[in-house]
Amino acid sequence: MLDDYKGCQNIAYQILVNSVKKNKVSHAYLIELNDSYLGLDFAYAISKFLLCPNNYTNNNKCENCNQCNVIDQNNYIELKVVKPDGKNIKKNQILDLQNEFKNKSIIGKNKIYILEEAEKLNEEEIG
């Protein structure tokens, strides 16, 4: 989980861990990584850390709680991933995401939205 990124993403790791320890989790985090594959894995690790009821940074400690298992199966209702539909992320995808903001969390206290390949947002599609 998040511990896997302690070495290569030390600053982000420390910010997240400290914010949870101090009970000062931000309403949003913007994380940009050049490697989209590792970036998506890192985003899922952050999601699991924030949504796991025990805030474990290590899967071995978590012992596969229900939230982490559902996230691994891509079925966690409070975690939405927006991926490009074709070449770009389309305007209707962002409008749907904005509509989701209105809804309160059902399961936990946080909702997480991940924009995969956010560089594929463009003015023509979104504007």
Side-chain angles (χ1 to χ4, degrees), residues 2 5 9-19 29 31 42 46:
L2 195 58
Y5 300 93
Q9 295 296 329
N10 189 44
I11 294 171
Y13 175 88
Q14 290 301 323
I15 289 170
L16 289 164
V17 171
N18 289 338
S19 67
Y29 293 97
I31 299 166
F42 186 51
I46 292 169

Side-chain angles (χ1 to χ4, degrees), residues 15-96:
I15 289 170
L16 289 164
V17 171
N18 289 338
S19 67
V20 168
K21 282 181 184 176
K22 295 175 183 177
N23 199 25
K24 293 188 177 191
V25 177
S26 178
H27 74 283
Y29 293 97
L30 179 61
I31 299 166
E32 191 276 329
L33 298 168
N34 291 333
D35 187 333
S36 63
Y37 177 73
L38 287 178
L40 188 58
D41 286 348
F42 186 51
Y44 274 106
I46 292 169
S47 302
K48 286 173 75 173
F49 171 64
L50 293 174
L51 295 171
C52 178
N54 301 308
N55 296 117
Y56 286 132
T57 59
N58 184 326
N59 258 350
N60 295 331
K61 291 180 184 175
C62 179
E63 297 180 7
N64 298 316
C65 71
N66 186 49
Q67 265 112 323
C68 290
N69 284 329
V70 175
I71 291 169
D72 286 340
Q73 297 165 7
N74 294 320
N75 290 326
Y76 194 76
I77 195 165
E78 312 291 21
L79 175 63
K80 303 286 183 199
V81 179
V82 177
K83 299 177 183 185
D85 181 13
K87 266 175 79 173
N88 296 311
I89 295 175
K90 307 280 193 246
K91 181 177 181 177
N92 66 326
Q93 291 176 276
I94 298 303
L95 293 174
D96 290 344

